[in-house]
Amino acid sequence: MNIVLGMIPSILMIVSPILITAAGGMVAERSGVTNIALEGLMSIGAFAAAAAHVLMETTVPGSEWLALVIGALFGMVFSMIHAYAAISLNADQTISGTGINLLANGVTIFFSQILFNADRTAAYKMGMQAGIMGIYPTFWIALCVMLFVWFMMYRIPFGLRLRACGEHPDAAASVGINVIGIRYFAVLFSGLLAGLAGGCLVLTETIQYTSNTINGTGFIALAAVSFGRWRPLGVTGSSMLFGTAVAFALYVVNIPMLKNLLPTEFFNLLPYVITLLALVIFSGKNYAPAEVGKPWVKGAS
């Protein structure tokens, strides 16, 4: 029981970047754009946040908070590439997102070499610390993000317009809704949140950015959007499920009975196995927005 209770702060810490990223992915897909680039955008945000924190740690008080802002902005800037390719050029959204994932890996290593003469950022002395009851502030950030997204999507007219762009863009355009503008906003917003999530991850779970820091978290967040049926409550629940699986894989070494029963590598696979099972179970369900992933040209239909 003590081990289970001791896992709660770590579970919430690990859930936070998944939930923040999934919130952005949900907004993008409800507008009609698939953002496969979440993994790469998290990497960009994580690198920017870690590098900024290292460079400012000894001179700027509260540099970790400023680093989070910088990580979010870098994620948003890089998401412009995907937005332009997918929305303005009508490129295949999966290919565009995959290209950014590959680009992010090379860009972060390249700038790490320039700034720190290594394939990773320098280690910082201290990241974000746990607060009351051992809970990291990144969890409260994630909670606020999801509440904001819920309010935006379901409590103001803009949310209805955004959802209309993902379901019936022609009908939305016919009543004067700027489909292109809303889709651009959604992709840039998802990039902002992915960059923020990368910063949250790197400043709590590690002591520096490396090419393995994100390690599939963006793809897990993308699966959480699907498993959560593109709704805030469902996405929150699926993010908690996947985050708990990741935390359990890390903590299993502290549970002698399980550690001796199966190899540690088995538990390391658990989060990804659960993710794949979730995708298989829900692959036949028609919960996705009707026009997600489909290029839209005004007046084409």
Side-chain angles (χ1 to χ4, degrees), residues 113-166:
Q113 290 282 359
I114 291 177
L115 293 174
F116 306 105
N117 296 317
D119 62 348
R120 60 194 64 199
T121 66
Y124 35 84
K125 297 181 177 68
M126 185 177 297
M128 302 194 78
Q129 300 299 298
I132 300 173
M133 298 179 64
I135 296 177
Y136 285 81
T138 52
F139 173 70
W140 304 115
I141 294 173
L143 193 60
C144 289
V145 164
M146 186 53 77
L147 287 173
F148 174 80
V149 167
W150 167 80
F151 183 82
M152 178 181 72
M153 291 181 63
Y154 293 99
R155 287 295 181 267
I156 59 175
F158 177 80
L160 179 61
R161 297 187 188 108
L162 185 144
R163 287 181 282 129
C165 291

Side-chain angles (χ1 to χ4, degrees), residues 35-60:
N35 196 349
I36 300 293
L38 293 176
E39 177 85 1
L41 297 173
M42 284 189 74
S43 295
I44 294 292
F47 165 77
H53 184 45
V54 168
L55 297 174
M56 297 187 299
E57 186 176 20
T58 58
T59 57
V60 179

Side-chain angles (χ1 to χ4, degrees), residues 11-37:
I11 290 174
L12 297 180
M13 175 187 69
I14 292 169
V15 164
S16 298
I18 297 175
L19 182 56
I20 294 171
T21 307
M26 176 178 62
V27 170
E29 297 204 357
R30 291 304 293 265
S31 78
V33 181
T34 300
N35 196 349
I36 300 293

Side-chain angles (χ1 to χ4, degrees), residues 44-46 48-50 52-53 56 62-77 128 141 191-200 202-203:
I44 294 292
H53 184 45
M56 297 187 299
S63 62
E64 62 272 17
W65 294 100
L66 182 55
L68 285 182
V69 174
I70 292 172
L73 292 176
F74 268 78
M76 182 178 70
V77 168
M128 302 194 78
I141 294 173
L192 180 81
L193 292 188
L196 174 64
C200 288
V202 79
L203 294 176

Side-chain angles (χ1 to χ4, degrees), residues 195-220:
L196 174 64
C200 288
L201 189 154
V202 79
L203 294 176
T204 55
E205 298 182 30
T206 69
I207 59 169
Q208 62 184 164
Y209 172 82
T210 72
S211 59
N212 296 320
T213 293
I214 304 303
N215 197 29
T217 303
F219 294 118
I220 291 176

Side-chain angles (χ1 to χ4, degrees), residues 221-241:
L222 197 62
V225 175
S226 176
F227 189 59
R229 302 184 182 183
W230 289 267
R231 296 182 178 273
L233 185 59
V235 170
T236 300
S238 56
S239 297
M240 289 291 296
L241 172 65

Side-chain angles (χ1 to χ4, degrees), residues 78-95:
F78 269 80
S79 69
M80 290 181 183
I81 302 172
H82 181 52
Y84 181 70
I87 301 170
S88 295
L89 301 182
N90 294 323
D92 185 289
Q93 296 172 14
T94 300
I95 294 176

